[in-house]
Amino acid sequence: MWAEDKGPGIANISMAMKDYFTTGNTLGLGLPGVRRMADEFAMESESEENMIVYVRKRIRGNKNDIDLTRSISSIEKNR
């Protein structure tokens, strides 16, 4: 999965990774929740403005059951 955020960046990464910490009108559960659900999680930053969060979640099942062509065309249509 890939998601992109155009926000201002994360000034304090250690605080942002704590449950219920927020700098806005949110629950403050986003990044900590994603970290708990992920099989792999990493954050990379050169500055407060350039943050990259890598997340991987393995999904079990038969890969032949997934119609990627239909999924990709659905995404393209909704852009």
Side-chain angles (χ1 to χ4, degrees), residues 5 7-9 15-16 18 23 30 34-35 51 53:
D5 181 320
M15 288 300 294
K18 294 183 181 192
T23 58
V34 169
R35 180 180 59 188
M51 173 65 64
V53 179

Side-chain angles (χ1 to χ4, degrees), residues 22 41 61 65:
T22 182
F41 183 93
D65 292 340

Side-chain angles (χ1 to χ4, degrees), residues 63-75:
K63 68 180 179 180
N64 296 324
D65 292 340
I66 302 171
D67 184 352
L68 290 179
T69 306
R70 190 176 76 187
S71 299
I72 292 170
S73 66
S74 173
I75 292 169

